[in-house]
Amino acid sequence: ASWGGPGCSKSLNRTIDDLNAKNVLFVSAAGNESQNIDLLPSYPASHESATHISVAAMTDDEYTAGFSNYGNIVHIAAPGVNILSTYPGNDTAIQHGTSMAAPFVSGAAALLFSAFPQAKAIEIKEALMSSVTPGPYPVSSRGALNVAGAYQKLKTKYGNASRR
């Protein structure tokens, strides 16, 4: 989810809760207002759900991007500065934002689900959150995305990855 704002509709809350009940991991961009969303909520990033991951943006030199929202309701940091992205007109451009960071976490989760199809969404989230690379990130995990670490945590639990 790459959008956000101060209000949250009942419909959005229900939808995210329904995804949780269906074992779907919901990943959202934390937002780009340089604010603590514990104090000034921004949705869907501020939605609390067992299978929701809110993502802050980090810089090339592994600091929180100055524009990134933060807070304990934000879960993890991922690259969000100087990201080569597709752009309208069959082009590419360098982009910045938490909307660039969230797909790193979504992609990591997809790889983990592919390798460990028996894993539940909450287990993927827990593996991602507990295997972060520690850093100066004002998010609940106090770290940045570490896909290899999450893979190892799930491998310890489930054994070798699925060979599909």
Side-chain angles (χ1 to χ4, degrees):
S2 278
W3 76 90
C8 187
S9 70
K10 290 179 184 178
S11 176
L12 178 59
N13 273 325
R14 266 193 315 275
T15 299
I16 296 170
D17 290 341
D18 287 347
L19 292 172
N20 179 44
K22 293 177 181 174
N23 194 40
V24 175
L25 193 63
F26 181 75
V27 179
S28 69
N32 303 317
E33 292 79 35
S34 306
Q35 63 190 21
N36 182 338
I37 63 173
D38 293 344
L39 304 175
L40 297 166
S42 178
Y43 294 90
S46 295
H47 184 85
E48 295 187 56
S49 171
T51 57
H52 172 226
I53 300 177
S54 179
V55 185
M58 59 187 267
T59 63
D60 301 348
D61 54 355
E62 301 179 354
Y63 289 96
T64 305
F67 57 77
S68 183
N69 286 351
Y70 57 92
N72 284 322
I73 200 143
V74 180
H75 299 98
I76 196 167
V81 173
N82 297 321
I83 306 300
L84 182 63
S85 182
T86 56
Y87 205 72
N90 199 28
D91 204 358
T92 60
I94 299 294
Q95 300 287 313
H96 314 285
T98 59
S99 291
M100 298 293 107
F104 279 93
V105 176
S106 296
L111 289 170
L112 294 170
F113 273 120
S114 177
F116 303 99
Q118 68 275 43
K120 303 282 186 226
I122 189 69
E123 294 171 315
I124 299 291
K125 177 182 176 179
E126 288 170 357
L128 289 166
M129 295 288 293
S130 65
S131 63
V132 296
T133 301
Y137 309 108
V139 298
S140 62
S141 68
R142 300 294 180 245
L145 180 65
N146 177 341
V147 183
Y151 177 88
Q152 287 303 316
K153 289 212 180 260
L154 291 167
K155 184 178 176 185
T156 297
K157 181 171 186 162
Y158 290 111
N160 288 329
S162 172
R163 298 191 191 274
R164 291 179 159 194

